[in-house]
């Protein structure tokens, strides 16, 4: 049983055992799930029937100049693509590189959870210092 505490803005993946209570006849992709006594509005981190995994901290996504660490404590450096300044490039200390929003999602799947180690100048400027 996990009692991990999260911060507002953290991204998590939940695995919740339950029963499909109702399929919305106007939107067949919408399913209502019933589980335990808790409903779907909230979950407790000490509920052993719910698996939860932190995927990215509230500081995610990376900003240029940031230094991050993955779940294996390997460092990742964030910069902009010199040819396309609107694209973020995340490069590891061991040479893996992920580019753009889809690349960042792949990096989280492959190496996450990421934790911000050192905020870069862009983040510090946006947040007014730390």
């Amino acid at each position: 049983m996990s009692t991990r505490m999260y911060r507002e803005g953290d991204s998590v993946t939940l695995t919740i055992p339950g029963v499909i209570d109702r399929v919305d006849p106007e939107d067949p992709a919408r399913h209502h799930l019933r589980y335990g006594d808790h409903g779907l509005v909230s979950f407790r981190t000490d509920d052993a029937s719910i698996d939860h995994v932190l995927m990215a901290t509230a500081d995610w996504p990376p900003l240029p100049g940031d230094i991050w660490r993955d779940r294996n404590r390997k460092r990742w450096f964030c910069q902009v693509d010199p040819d396309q300044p609107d694209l973020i490039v995340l490069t590891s200390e061991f040479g893996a590189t992920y580019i753009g929003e889809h690349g960042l999602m792949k990096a989280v799947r492959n190496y996450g959870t990421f934790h911000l180690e050192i905020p870069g100048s862009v983040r510090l400027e946006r947040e007014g210092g730390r």
Side-chain angles (χ1 to χ4, degrees):
M1 177 172 354
S2 173
T3 57
R4 177 179 177 81
M5 302 305 287
Y6 298 107
R7 296 184 302 154
E8 287 185 19
D10 287 349
S11 295
V12 298
T13 296
L14 299 176
T15 303
I16 304 171
V19 175
I20 299 298
D21 195 43
R22 184 169 76 85
V23 177
D24 189 332
E26 294 179 23
D27 182 1
R30 181 184 305 269
H31 296 77
H32 299 269
L33 183 74
R34 183 183 72 238
Y35 72 97
D37 297 327
H38 307 296
L40 281 179
V41 177
S42 63
F43 75 99
R44 295 188 50 84
T45 57
D46 60 355
D47 184 336
S49 71
I50 301 173
D51 291 328
H52 47 93
V53 177
L54 178 67
M55 297 306 292
T57 64
D59 298 313
W60 195 261
L63 294 174
D66 285 352
I67 299 176
W68 291 76
R69 289 216 183 241
D70 65 19
R71 69 173 169 242
N72 299 313
R73 303 287 304 143
K74 299 295 184 186
R75 274 200 168 127
W76 293 74
F77 309 93
C78 182
Q79 58 193 28
V80 294
D81 184 318
D83 297 324
Q84 298 180 63
D86 58 325
L87 286 180
I88 294 292
V89 178
L90 194 61
T91 305
S92 74
E93 65 184 42
F94 53 89
T97 299
Y98 291 87
I99 301 171
E101 185 177 333
H102 292 292
L104 294 178
M105 291 182 343
K106 286 181 184 178
V108 169
R109 279 195 308 271
N110 294 335
Y111 301 99
T113 301
F114 283 81
H115 296 276
L116 181 63
E117 181 179 35
I118 301 171
S121 59
V122 172
R123 182 177 303 278
L124 292 173
E125 189 175 299
R126 284 187 185 174
E127 296 177 1
R130 278 194 180 205

